[in-house]
Each structure stands twice: as C-alpha cells, then as structure tokens.
Amino acid sequence: MAEKEIDLIELWDIIKKNLIKIIFIGILFAIASFAISKFVISPKYQSSVSLIVNKEEDKSNNNGIQLNDVQLNQKLVGTYTEIIKTRGIAEIVIKNLGLDISYEDFISMISVISKNDTEIFEVSVKDTIPERAADIANETSKVFKDSIIKIMKVDNVQILDKAIVPKKPFSPNIIRNTAIGLLFGMILSTFTSIIKYLTDTRIKSSEDITNEFGLPVIGIIPDKKL
C-alpha cells in the first residue's frame, strides 16, 4: 500500500476535527504544570549584594582615576569572582552563620556575576528561606572584603548595596510554567492526532480505494444499519 500523503488543507482539517481534544489535553498539561509548580517544587528566593573594585586611595595623587586603573580593576573582577567561591571563604561564612550545610551546598546556592566592562560585580544567593538568602549574601560579601586585604594585600573592594530579604520567590515561575504546560500539551496532542491519521490504514470511503489502489469504484453497498 502506498504511503499516505497529507497537504496543508488536510492537515488543517485534522486539527479542526480534533480541536476539542487538543484543547482539553493542553488544559490538563497546564493544570499539571500549575500543580507541580505550586505544590511540589519548593520556592526559591534570591538576594544579591553589589560590590565594586576600586583603586586604593592615594592621597599623594590628585590626578583622579586613570584609565589604566579602571582596566586593572576590571581584570581583578574576574579574579575576585573566583576567590568568593573558594572553600576558605565558604567555611568562614558557614561558621559565622552557624549553617548546617556543606561546601558543595554553599557553592550550589551562590553565584557571582560581573557587569559587562565595569568594575562592579554582584553576589547572588538562592535559597528556600528568604532570610537565610539575604544573610548568606551579606556575610559572604563581608567575609570576602575582609579576606581580600589579607590575600591581595589591598583594600580595594567596597559594598555598594547590601542584600535585603526578598518578598517574592525567584522560582518557580508559576505563570510561565503553566503556559509552557498548556503549549506543550496542545503540541503533543496535535502531533499525536496527525500521526494517528497517517498510520490509520483503514478504508473509510470510495475515494480511499481510488487513491490507494488506483481502481475505479463500480458500486457501493449501502449500510443495512442505515
């Protein structure tokens, strides 16, 4: 039997015939995504501290900030973002706050983002407890600032904005996840309907006989049930 071909008009007819089922399955997936996001996935909160790398104050130099100083500080940002995530910094923060977490847990919670072509970088902490997220972010920045003096022998890090307790969770995004669930369910249902149609080899009309076998239809036996 020849492979069944399908054109855009026929494709649209399949979608229209199965539209109610497609919408229904999409709604089911949306409800499932909403329920999982709302009641299964633990909400995470994000709190951040902004820091800046600047030149140590030199009272003998009254020429202001030089371009070379800015470029040097921008390069230091990359080094400092790695120092923040070291075990030494993490262990001090964990001890100071009395946290019952491992170094690996700490690293998974914290992220350091440098602002493009600037001397500013941001320390962000994601946690299921909003107060703890802010505490870890603030303590990490404080410990890091103090440690840099010992490690690099310079005092060139300043805290611009301290972390505050977030009021709303950072994730999951319930609205986005629900919309994705709806869209995925409808696409999956549409794809399934098309595959089912293409793999259905039953003869449903006289046109099917002509299309499949190239034979003319001589007569039609009426259905006795009619």
Side-chain angles (χ1 to χ4, degrees):
M1 185 174 290
E3 293 184 358
K4 185 181 294 186
E5 296 181 357
I6 186 171
D7 55 28
L8 291 178
I9 296 177
E10 195 172 6
L11 177 62
W12 175 241
D13 288 338
I14 296 171
I15 295 175
K16 287 195 297 182
K17 289 178 181 178
N18 295 276
L19 186 58
I20 295 178
K21 183 181 74 173
I22 292 171
I23 295 175
F24 177 73
I25 293 178
I27 293 174
L28 286 181
F29 271 79
I31 293 174
S33 298
F34 173 83
I36 293 173
S37 299
K38 183 72 174 179
F39 304 109
V40 178
I41 301 176
S42 299
K44 285 191 176 182
Y45 299 83
Q46 178 173 286
S47 189
S48 304
V49 176
S50 294
L51 303 99
I52 185 171
V53 180
N54 50 27
K55 180 183 178 183
E56 278 191 292
E57 184 178 0
D58 186 357
K59 295 182 180 180
S60 64
N61 185 1
N62 296 321
N63 295 327
I65 299 176
Q66 302 296 318
L67 178 60
N68 290 338
D69 297 332
V70 174
Q71 292 175 338
L72 175 61
N73 291 337
Q74 288 174 354
K75 292 180 179 179
L76 282 175
V77 169
T79 301
Y80 287 175
T81 56
E82 295 302 318
I83 293 177
I84 291 176
K85 295 182 288 185
T86 57
R87 186 178 294 274
I89 300 293
E91 289 178 347
I92 296 174
V93 174
I94 292 172
K95 180 181 178 181
N96 290 351
L97 295 178
L99 301 175
D100 186 21
I101 61 175
S102 65
Y103 168 70
E104 289 71 21
D105 294 331
F106 179 86
I107 290 300
S108 67
M109 296 165 64
I110 194 170
S111 61
V112 185
I113 304 172
S114 59
K115 304 298 182 179
N116 292 336
D117 299 325
T118 70
E119 302 164 87
I120 299 173
F121 60 104
E122 188 176 81
V123 179
S124 296
V125 177
K126 296 177 184 177
D127 195 3
T128 55
I129 304 175
E131 294 80 7
R132 190 168 65 179
D135 289 342
I136 293 177
N138 283 323
E139 186 64 20
T140 300
S141 62
K142 179 178 178 297
V143 170
F144 165 72
K145 184 177 183 300
D146 294 340
S147 298
I148 283 299
I149 300 176
K150 300 176 182 179
I151 297 172
M152 304 292 289
K153 308 301 180 184
V154 292
D155 184 9
N156 63 347
V157 175
Q158 300 297 325
I159 298 174
L160 295 178
D161 292 313
K162 291 185 177 181
I164 59 175
V165 178
K167 297 180 180 179
K168 296 181 180 180
F170 173 78
S171 67
N173 189 322
I174 297 178
I175 296 177
R176 183 189 63 190
N177 291 351
T178 301
I180 291 175
L182 175 65
L183 182 62
F184 178 78
M186 293 181 67
I187 292 175
L188 179 63
S189 181
T190 300
F191 181 76
T192 303
S193 297
I194 295 173
I195 293 298
K196 183 179 179 181
Y197 174 82
L198 292 175
T199 55
D200 187 357
T201 58
R202 293 176 299 173
I203 301 298
K204 306 181 189 66
S205 65
S206 58
E207 288 80 4
D208 288 343
I209 296 176
T210 302
N211 293 335
E212 294 292 344
F213 302 102
L215 300 175
V217 177
I218 300 175
I220 299 176
I221 300 175
D223 191 346
K224 292 183 179 180
K225 296 180 181 179
L226 302 176

